[in-house]
Amino acid sequence: MTDFVSVANVSVRFDSDRGAVTALENVSFEIPRGGFLAILGPSGCGKSTLLRVTSDLITPTEGSVSLFGSSPAEVRRRRDLGFVFQDAALLPWRTARENVELPLEVGNGARLAERARSPEEMLALVGLADWHDSLPHELSGGMRQRVSIARALVTAPKILLMDEPFGSLDEITRDRLNEELLRIWRETQTTVLFVTHSVQEALYLGQQVLVLAPHPGRVREMVEPDLPQERGLEIRDTERFVQQAAHLRALLEPVP
């Protein structure tokens, strides 16, 4: 069994009202088990499409995806994938605990229970130990997103896919959740693929940063930040961080 997430020469094409569209073209990269990949790029570069290929929601037109030696379909059937979207998408009539319990109630819940963490443990992990019985409307936007992360992690997935989960939050809340996410990643050792439009967020979170260019979506560069694995927000004020952020911004400039 390989210890890598491997995406090899993946292309995705589909038909639209404007004709044939190439969403991704010849995308290849690898992530080690337990790695954290930030996927950075402008709108239209196929970031979300790439997550959907990885999660078996879209079949690539060409190329292949291997998740630690298994296909995305096999990993999905085993419920080894967790997905966090930009919208927390909590059921409004269920409490925080009941929303986190939801994945254990659908599909093969009995089998999942053998490996699953308790909803209470997951809520404590995301800093909501005192909010088990709160309904979504009683929680702030950042707290609702924490519940969605706890829900994605309750089945102990091997891979966590995150599609701009903090994009709609204010800067202060976003910074706090960036710190929390790194802590959660270190504690759970889950492999994370994290989509963002933010240069600072990608550089702060990612052990690797995959920069995509648009039209069609393709790899511009895979960057491995020269930063310590354990990092706090203060690192963003250092010369090293500023220089590497400038390099990422330059990569986002239109390709001649």
Side-chain angles (χ1 to χ4, degrees):
M1 176 181 292
T2 178
D3 274 341
F4 285 85
V5 170
S6 177
V7 174
N9 305 311
V10 163
S11 296
V12 174
R13 302 184 185 91
F14 57 88
D15 294 324
S16 72
D17 294 338
R18 297 173 296 166
V21 175
T22 301
L24 293 173
E25 184 175 73
N26 199 33
V27 172
S28 297
F29 61 87
E30 287 189 341
I31 319 164
R33 185 183 295 272
F36 195 125
L37 177 72
I39 303 171
L40 175 67
S43 297
C45 70
K47 300 186 299 297
S48 295
T49 300
L50 184 55
L51 286 195
R52 282 157 175 75
V53 169
T54 306
S55 61
D56 192 41
L57 294 177
I58 295 176
T59 301
T61 309
E62 297 172 3
S64 63
V65 178
S66 172
L67 308 178
F68 310 130
S70 299
S71 69
E74 291 170 326
V75 172
R76 177 181 54 79
R77 285 193 292 269
R78 295 199 301 261
R79 305 280 293 279
D80 277 337
L81 285 171
F83 215 127
V84 180
F85 299 93
Q86 184 167 347
D87 189 308
L90 303 181
L91 298 179
W93 59 87
R94 295 180 69 119
T95 65
R97 180 195 293 109
E98 290 167 343
N99 268 285
V100 175
E101 286 173 342
L102 187 60
L104 304 178
E105 298 173 3
V106 298
N108 197 349
R111 184 180 64 81
L112 286 175
E114 298 174 4
R115 74 180 198 212
R117 304 176 175 104
S118 74
E120 292 80 7
E121 179 187 356
M122 288 298 94
L123 286 169
L125 180 68
V126 299
L128 294 176
D130 297 328
W131 297 85
H132 294 176
D133 298 322
S134 300
L135 292 168
H137 75 269
E138 299 173 309
L139 304 173
S140 68
M143 294 167 77
R144 288 193 294 273
Q145 202 62 310
R146 288 174 187 236
V147 174
S148 73
I149 294 171
R151 180 180 58 193
L153 290 172
V154 74
T155 59
K158 294 179 180 177
I159 301 172
L160 180 64
L161 308 176
M162 308 186 77
D163 194 359
E164 295 192 74
F166 308 142
S168 63
L169 302 176
D170 64 84
E171 185 176 359
I172 295 172
T173 302
R174 187 170 184 159
D175 285 349
R176 185 177 305 119
L177 288 182
N178 279 181
E179 287 189 295
E180 287 294 298
L181 180 57
L182 283 184
R183 177 185 59 79
I184 291 166
W185 167 65
R186 287 191 293 266
E187 290 188 24
T188 62
Q189 300 183 333
T190 306
T191 304
V192 178
L193 280 71
F194 184 100
V195 162
T196 180
H197 281 104
S198 168
V199 168
Q200 279 204 329
E201 186 169 62
L203 185 56
Y204 177 68
L205 291 175
Q207 301 297 306
Q208 297 171 284
V209 180
L210 181 70
V211 183
L212 297 180
H215 313 305
R218 60 204 186 279
V219 175
R220 185 76 187 274
E221 188 174 319
M222 175 69 92
V223 177
E224 297 196 6
D226 181 21
L227 299 171
Q229 180 169 316
E230 296 206 18
R231 55 191 76 154
L233 290 174
E234 66 279 357
I235 201 170
R236 300 185 310 186
D237 298 322
T238 64
E239 182 178 357
R240 181 186 301 179
F241 189 96
V242 171
Q243 289 174 344
Q244 292 179 79
H247 175 65
L248 291 179
R249 287 192 186 92
L251 292 174
L252 294 174
E253 293 296 322
V255 179

